[in-house]
Each structure stands twice: as structure tokens, then as C-alpha cells.
Amino acid sequence: MSTKANLTELLAETGGSARHKKPAVERPPASKAESTRQKGRGATSPITVHFPKQVRDQLKILAVQNGKTLHSLVAEAFNDLFAKHGKPEIAPAQTEHLE
């Protein structure tokens, strides 16, 4: 075995050369569900809706006036809608206890 190859590798490693570097071992990419799911979210799913900015602003004002979070206000609205249609009121008002 030639010492020249080892010397070349050593110089490449210490000198920062990219020509003689060994390819880095790549980890397989995490699945989409693993990379997008936040810790502490349990088995929840996002519900995205689009309304005019004034609707969001009014919801935030109501939340502040009532000392609630935006999440708890939306949960209350969902539960009112479920009750209106004879469905169980299953929307939790707080996310801390979902796990």
C-alpha cells in the first residue's frame, strides 16, 4: 500500500480541499409527518381557513376582551356549531392536555 494516498487524504482533510474528501454519509430524509409535526401537538391536525383580515382582528379583540386564547374561542365556536347540528361537542378548549 502506498503512503502517498494516505498523505494526500491527510492533506486534503487538514487543508480543506473538497477534491479528495470522502463523500459524507447522508441520513435518509425524515418523513413529512415527522418533520412537520410539532412536539406537544399529540394526535391533532391543523384546520386552515381563510377569511378577511377584519375577521381575524375581531376574533383577537374578542379573545382579549374575554381573557381567552384564540384557540379557546375557535373551540367554543366549533362546539356551538356541533351542538346546533346535534353532534357531540368534542373541540378541546386547551391544547396542553391532548397527548
Side-chain angles (χ1 to χ4, degrees):
M1 189 161 118
S2 171
T3 58
K4 186 176 179 182
N6 291 338
L7 182 58
T8 303
E9 285 180 23
L10 180 63
L11 288 173
E13 286 177 17
T14 58
S17 172
R19 289 192 321 186
H20 299 288
K21 283 189 177 178
K22 295 178 182 176
V25 177
E26 293 184 26
R27 291 179 21 201
S31 69
K32 185 175 179 182
E34 290 173 0
S35 63
T36 58
R37 181 149 303 191
Q38 294 179 2
K39 293 180 182 177
R41 298 283 182 172
T44 63
S45 295
I47 300 173
T48 305
V49 295
H50 292 269
F51 286 99
K53 183 182 179 305
Q54 294 86 355
V55 173
R56 179 178 173 267
D57 292 346
Q58 189 163 302
L59 278 172
K60 290 184 113 185
I61 290 168
L62 279 172
V64 169
Q65 288 174 341
N66 291 293
K68 296 183 176 184
T69 63
L70 194 58
H71 179 95
S72 65
L73 265 185
V74 172
E76 180 182 342
F78 282 151
N79 284 329
D80 288 348
L81 179 66
F82 295 152
K84 176 182 170 183
H85 292 280
K87 302 292 183 189
E89 298 178 25
I90 58 172
Q94 294 183 351
T95 58
E96 291 90 31
H97 307 292
L98 292 178
E99 296 182 279

